[in-house]
Amino acid sequence: QISPKEGWQVYSSAQDPDGRCICTVVAPEQNLCSRDAKSRQLRQLLEKVQNMSQSIEVLNLRTQRDFQYVLKMETQMKGLKAKFRQIEDDRKTLMTKHFQV
């Protein structure tokens, strides 16, 4: 076991309602935090996580936009199918009338 003066320890970790990871860390002496290499590593890790979170948010927004586009196209395709079906039915009706004449 590492004493708090020798290094960092993760005290607890959990997930918030939005799915983000929340960690409580026991740091070495407070006045060492600013110049400690592990503190720098944690800041770099935090920056990477924030960048990844932003990228995921952008991808999520794009996915939502694309999904809305697909739903719109699906509705239009259903409308086209109905129109083609009506045209085919009209053509059959006209052909029947033509043969009867």
Side-chain angles (χ1 to χ4, degrees):
Q1 185 172 3
I2 300 171
S3 71
K5 287 188 175 190
E6 292 176 6
W8 296 77
Q9 291 179 315
V10 175
Y11 180 72
S12 68
S13 64
Q15 196 171 23
D16 74 2
D18 294 326
R20 294 179 290 209
C21 183
I22 308 286
C23 294
T24 305
V25 178
V26 177
E29 298 175 29
Q30 283 187 336
N31 58 356
L32 296 177
C33 290
S34 61
R35 60 181 192 255
D36 185 63
K38 291 186 180 183
S39 175
R40 197 173 337 128
Q41 288 175 337
L42 282 175
R43 281 194 304 274
Q44 290 171 348
L45 181 59
L46 179 59
E47 288 174 14
K48 288 178 183 179
V49 168
Q50 288 172 337
N51 288 339
M52 289 173 59
S53 294
Q54 289 172 351
S55 295
I56 290 170
E57 184 62 30
V58 168
L59 287 172
N60 185 37
L61 292 172
R62 287 180 185 168
T63 301
Q64 289 176 6
R65 183 196 64 207
D66 292 348
F67 181 68
Q68 292 302 317
Y69 176 77
V70 167
L71 289 177
K72 181 181 173 185
M73 292 303 295
E74 184 179 31
T75 301
Q76 291 177 349
M77 291 297 287
K78 286 179 182 177
L80 284 173
K81 275 184 170 179
K83 287 180 183 178
F84 281 129
R85 210 174 295 119
Q86 183 62 47
I87 289 169
E88 183 65 21
D89 291 345
D90 291 348
R91 186 187 68 79
K92 287 178 183 176
T93 302
L94 286 173
M95 291 294 285
T96 303
K97 284 182 182 178
H98 178 71
F99 282 122
Q100 287 174 353
V101 171

